[in-house]
Amino acid sequence: MRFNRMLLSATLVVVALVIQVSVLARLHLPGAVPDLVLLTVLALAMVYGHVGGALIGFAAGLLADLAPPADHAAGRYALVLCVIGYLAGLAKPENGQLKSATGPMAVVVAAAIGSTLLYAGVGALVGDTAARHVGLGSLLFTAALYDLLLAPFVVPGLMALARRSEGNSLVESNSVKAADVSSGWLASGTGLRIGSQRGHRVKAARARVARAGRIKGVKRL
């Protein structure tokens, strides 16, 4: 990943995690907690692709695992968001532009349900049965509902910000390449060499014409 991607992704993930832990988790809503970190990973994955989505998801999940008040084994949510980020990156538009909001909203709902199921499944493997006591059906419904309500205010803006950063880097790289090509062209002296060759050819042709004229004049005398 390029440096600008890493810097932007790290900043957005940290901000999302701080808001989720300090604000959203304190709302005490029934069922699940609105997952702002998940929405951030989804937005970046749908711009950067499946590889970037997997890397961002793993890093974001690991931060969420270590952030207080974490009550589960470290690496559990990192695995979940790594898989979700990879799958969401597969839904990246070919031209980078979204034709409608239906696709991203479907990705949000699928990711909310899939992450909850995967998190509960990994927890069952390590002996964590908290999802059974809370009610898996309630968690699935509230997670999808909260994330779907929050997504229109988060996902489009983050995707636009990521695309703008990506576009600026492409413009800069293209300008650098153009400057390198132009500087190399000037340094090699191709244009000057061609011009000088043309000038020599014109001078040689004029000299031949003048010489022929002198020879003809001598013969006439």
Side-chain angles (χ1 to χ4, degrees):
M1 295 179 66
R2 289 192 292 269
F3 178 75
N4 64 322
R5 286 188 180 185
M6 296 174 60
L7 181 61
L8 178 63
S9 302
T11 303
L12 294 178
V13 167
V14 170
V15 171
L17 182 60
V18 171
I19 295 176
Q20 180 169 327
V21 173
S22 60
V23 178
L24 298 179
R26 298 177 183 273
L27 296 178
H28 301 292
L29 297 174
V33 176
D35 200 339
L36 186 59
V37 176
L38 173 64
L39 297 179
T40 303
V41 171
L42 293 179
L44 295 177
M46 286 188 286
V47 176
Y48 296 148
H50 58 282
V51 177
L55 295 176
I56 295 171
F58 179 81
L62 189 59
L63 287 177
D65 287 332
L66 300 177
D71 57 351
H72 55 271
R76 180 175 169 185
Y77 201 47
L79 174 62
V80 173
L81 287 188
C82 181
V83 175
I84 295 298
Y86 179 86
L87 296 177
L90 297 177
K92 173 186 175 182
E94 295 181 358
N95 57 356
Q97 299 292 334
L98 297 174
K99 296 181 179 179
S100 65
T102 305
M105 294 301 103
V107 172
V108 168
V109 174
I113 296 176
S115 61
T116 304
L117 289 175
L118 188 57
Y119 185 82
V122 175
L125 293 177
V126 297
D128 186 1
T129 59
R132 297 180 181 177
H133 299 292
V134 176
L136 185 58
S138 176
L139 285 177
L140 291 174
F141 176 77
T142 53
L145 178 61
Y146 296 155
D147 291 347
L148 187 60
L149 293 177
L150 187 60
F153 304 98
V154 177
V155 175
L158 295 185
M159 291 184 67
L161 183 62
R163 283 197 302 267
R164 182 177 180 182
S165 175
E166 194 75 359
N168 290 339
S169 64
L170 291 176
V171 170
E172 291 175 0
S173 63
N174 291 335
S175 62
V176 170
K177 290 181 180 178
D180 293 339
V181 171
S182 61
S183 61
W185 184 79
L186 292 175
S188 62
T190 305
L192 296 177
R193 188 178 299 113
I194 293 174
S196 61
Q197 289 177 356
R198 290 180 178 176
H200 289 309
R201 290 176 182 176
V202 172
K203 290 180 180 180
R206 290 179 179 177
R208 286 195 297 269
V209 171
R211 190 181 303 110
R214 288 195 299 268
I215 293 173
K216 290 179 178 181
V218 172
K219 289 181 178 180
R220 289 177 181 178
L221 292 175

